[in-house]
Each structure stands twice: as C-alpha cells, then as structure tokens.
Amino acid sequence: MRLRTPNGQQLVAGCGDGSIRCFDLSTGSLLAEWQSHTHVISSIAVSPNGKFIAHASWDNTVHLWDT
C-alpha cells in the first residue's frame, strides 16, 4: 500500500512488517518511519494539508500520526 502526499514530494508506504515509511521522491531517502501495527497495513490516507497520516492494519487497529 502506498500513496503520494498532497504536495507530490513524498511517498508514504505501508509495509508488510506493520510499519509506515515516508520517502522523499526526489532523493529516495527515508524521511520518517512509524512502527505501531502487528500485522500488514491494509489502508493509508494523508490529510489534504499533509499534516496527518491515518492507517489501518489487519490487526484491527487504526492509527493517526501528526507528521
């Protein structure tokens, strides 16, 4: 699961290990990583202003991060 941020400069990816990673698209560098789920990420959403990332997992939890 992955998507671009509203400004188009970052890619947010949900990984099989339950982590969320944010990458800079111009350099490919890892900008941030959040580990909070115990199962695969099933969905990701980024707020229109790019300030929040919400994600859900097959572990039946939803998390909201203030980026």
Side-chain angles (χ1 to χ4, degrees), residues 9-33:
Q9 297 177 0
Q10 293 88 27
L11 178 78
V12 179
C15 303
D17 64 357
S19 66
I20 300 289
R21 295 182 182 119
C22 183
F23 297 92
D24 183 298
L25 285 174
S26 63
T27 65
S29 62
L30 180 64
L31 300 174
E33 181 175 7

Side-chain angles (χ1 to χ4, degrees), residues 1-3 12-15 19-21 41-46 53-56:
M1 175 77 39
R2 61 189 182 276
L3 60 92
V12 179
C15 303
S19 66
I20 300 289
R21 295 182 182 119
I41 304 299
S42 57
S43 62
I44 303 172
V46 178
I53 297 173
H55 44 92

